[in-house]
Amino acid sequence: MSTIENSSGTRELAGKRALVTGGTRGIGAAIVRRLLDAGAAVLTTARSETGTAPEEAAFVAADVRTRAGAEAIAAAAQELAAVPTVAPPFLHYTTAKAALENYSRGLAAELAPAGIRVNTVSPGRTATPGGEATREQWARLDAGTDQVDTTAPMGRDGRPDDIAHAVHFLVSPGASWLTGSGLVVDGGEFPRG
Ligand SMILES: NC(=O)c1ccc[n+]([C@@H]2O[C@H](COP(=O)([O-])OP(=O)(O)OC[C@H]3O[C@@H](n4cnc5c(N)ncnc54)[C@H](OP(=O)(O)O)[C@@H]3O)[C@@H](O)[C@H]2O)c1
């Protein structure tokens, strides 16, 4: 894996701590690898540990949908003093994601005076086992079919590392004045304008 250095030759996230939920597969695992490589100490979570979880990251097994799981993660994060980065969980899916973005904007305004930044990353169709399983489920339900069949104008599906790069940027010193923002990383998938 390549080492990510800043202009002074040091690993730019050295001394930083990150909590990446859902870091054993797909997008989360790519984020864990990227942040580790940039020098951060990383705590990651999932319901079960798998062989694909980067070994250098600390791991806590927890289901984020349960109070007990959330408490276990909060306790482990307090030890590391880290902040959450990514959470996994169809109309309720997109509704929850939209609510999360609005919540994040409000949280960003509230926490800015304390020097805490809050940003969201919205991935487009990204090639992961979880992404494929969700799209198959949508197709079976015949729901969101237009999205299932969408090919991004950039001509390919996203790779987990495309999303990890965006997260890396948002947590890097170069983004120190960036908060309350939503970064859409989707190869131009959704019409905007
Ligand atoms: N891939 C795409 O095309 C795409 C597009 C847009 C948005 N996203 C979003 O990006 C995030 C990651 O997607 P992905 O495709 O990388 O998913 P993935 O490959 O299925 O990985 C999901 C990760 O989350 C963990 N996880 C799932 N449910 C959990 C729960 N209840 N409690 C704790 N951990 C849980 C999984 O481990 P365990 O199963 O062991 O718990 C795994 O580590 C998700 O929020 C997804 O909605 C993905």
Side-chain angles (χ1 to χ4, degrees):
M1 188 185 307
S2 62
T3 297
I4 300 155
E5 295 183 342
N6 63 18
S7 51
S8 52
T10 55
R11 298 205 298 167
E12 68 171 7
L13 299 184
K16 301 285 183 191
R17 291 154 296 191
L19 164 62
V20 181
T21 54
T24 57
R25 286 199 306 269
I27 295 171
I31 294 170
V32 170
R33 275 191 293 269
R34 183 142 295 277
L35 299 187
L36 283 169
D37 198 43
V42 180
L43 167 68
T44 191
T45 74
R47 289 165 298 184
S48 54
E49 201 165 9
T50 64
T52 50
E55 272 178 22
E56 312 92 292
F59 177 80
V60 58
D63 186 336
V64 294
R65 291 173 305 186
T66 66
R67 175 176 286 273
E71 285 172 356
I73 294 169
Q78 250 171 351
E79 266 178 48
L80 192 74
V83 192
T85 4
V86 171
F90 303 155
L91 191 52
H92 75 265
Y93 172 88
T94 49
T95 304
K97 296 280 179 182
L100 190 60
E101 281 174 29
N102 277 329
Y103 175 69
S104 299
R105 273 195 291 277
L107 204 57
E110 204 174 302
L111 297 178
I116 298 171
R117 300 186 297 109
V118 182
N119 295 291
T120 58
V121 174
S122 302
R125 179 187 167 112
T126 307
T128 66
E132 295 311 323
T134 302
R135 283 182 281 277
E136 276 168 26
Q137 214 176 339
W138 272 339
R140 274 201 303 277
L141 292 171
D142 198 25
T145 312
D146 49 340
Q147 287 184 21
V148 173
D149 293 338
T150 297
T151 302
M154 292 297 288
R156 65 169 175 83
D157 286 353
R159 304 179 189 108
D161 211 34
D162 292 321
I163 314 304
H165 270 98
V167 172
H168 180 187
F169 165 66
L170 286 175
V171 303
S172 72
S176 65
W177 208 53
L178 215 162
T179 194
S181 166
L183 202 50
V184 180
V185 187
D186 67 355
E189 187 177 321
F190 293 109
R192 294 186 292 274

